[in-house]
Amino acid sequence: MPKENKHKLQQMRTRIAAAAARIMAEDGLEDFALAKRKAARQLGAEDTQSLPGNEEIEAELRAYQALYQGEEHRERIRFLRERALEAMRLLEQFRPYLAGPVLKGTAGRYSDIDLQLFTDDGKAVEFFLLDRRIPYDVSDERHFAGDQVRAVSVLKLDWQGVTVNLAVYTSKEERGTLKATPLGRPIKRAGLQAVSQLLSGSPDPQAALG
């Protein structure tokens, strides 16, 4: 490929990453693939051969939130982490971990809280919620434990005005690697102690990720 064409493709890749980050920040979108497609469409580059990687978009998202949302974003992240910690303490017997944008610090204005639970009795989580009269909805999502694909039950509920998604795994899977896609990066997660450290002002939030 001629050098000029490579340069143009790289420029478009950078523009798509920035546009996707803005969409995620302003619209509360958390699906990287959908944000890429929307950004490419907005820029008239739906047939581009050089879509940015998730890591590139995440870097642009952090920069956008720091530049345009500043204190509002920091306060929102703290609020969501506080609600997450409360829910984790309630669900402590199910070995809860925080994951997703709230943990990474990229959550937007409308983000949910994503928790992973580990138990050998998935129904026990539902009975626990029913006993406390906490309403929830159930759906299945496709996740990957190591190289094995499996359906994971996800319980969606309201906690202090915030939507919380409880993905229920087996106890054995707590020691393994969980991914959202076969080729994706392992899902970062943090237990009770690590989330407490984040809220107490850990100098390096990344250090708390498990």
Side-chain angles (χ1 to χ4, degrees):
M1 180 183 294
K3 187 175 181 180
E4 183 180 349
N5 287 350
K6 283 186 178 180
H7 180 65
K8 285 183 177 179
L9 279 176
Q10 183 56 48
Q11 280 188 320
M12 181 53 70
R13 182 186 182 105
T14 301
R15 290 178 64 197
I16 291 172
R22 177 180 51 76
I23 290 168
M24 294 179 77
E26 295 297 333
D27 298 346
L29 190 64
E30 295 182 3
D31 185 326
F32 281 95
L34 180 55
K36 288 180 203 180
R37 291 196 297 271
K38 283 191 170 187
R41 193 180 311 121
Q42 286 182 4
L43 295 170
E46 294 177 83
D47 59 347
T48 183
Q49 302 172 13
S50 189
L51 286 174
N54 293 353
E55 295 87 351
E56 295 169 78
I57 296 174
E58 191 171 297
E60 290 285 351
L61 177 57
R62 291 181 186 280
Y64 185 95
Q65 288 170 327
L67 183 60
Y68 294 107
Q69 296 177 335
E71 187 60 29
E72 173 200 345
H73 179 250
R74 286 189 290 273
E75 289 177 0
R76 182 64 179 169
I77 292 296
R78 182 168 187 82
F79 171 81
L80 290 171
R81 286 174 174 171
E82 287 173 346
R83 301 293 78 74
L85 187 60
E86 292 169 359
M88 292 171 75
R89 284 172 174 157
L90 176 71
L91 296 161
E92 186 170 6
Q93 71 188 76
F94 302 110
R95 310 264 320 149
Y97 289 81
L98 176 62
V102 174
L103 174 60
K104 292 188 288 185
T106 58
R109 292 167 179 158
Y110 315 107
S111 291
D112 297 348
I113 293 170
D114 296 319
L115 298 182
Q116 297 175 352
L117 306 182
F118 295 89
T119 174
D120 288 325
D121 183 3
K123 285 296 179 183
V125 180
E126 296 190 48
F127 291 139
F128 181 90
L129 297 176
L130 288 170
D131 285 345
R132 286 154 184 79
R133 298 184 180 179
I134 300 174
Y136 63 89
D137 294 317
V138 186
S139 63
D140 285 338
E141 293 183 6
R142 191 173 68 162
H143 286 210
F144 293 83
D147 296 326
Q148 302 298 314
V149 61
R150 63 175 295 249
V152 176
S153 290
V154 179
L155 312 181
K156 184 184 292 284
L157 56 93
D158 178 89
W159 178 259
Q160 307 291 338
V162 180
T163 298
V164 176
N165 303 309
L166 307 176
V168 184
Y169 296 90
T170 65
S171 296
K172 182 176 66 175
E173 289 169 328
E174 183 181 3
R175 299 184 294 275
T177 298
L178 302 175
K179 297 184 292 185
T181 63
L183 300 177
R185 292 177 297 172
I187 299 172
K188 297 292 186 180
R189 65 191 186 202
L192 270 165
Q193 184 177 354
V195 176
S196 295
Q197 289 174 353
L198 285 175
L199 284 166
S200 67
S202 170
D204 179 11
Q206 297 299 314
L209 305 188

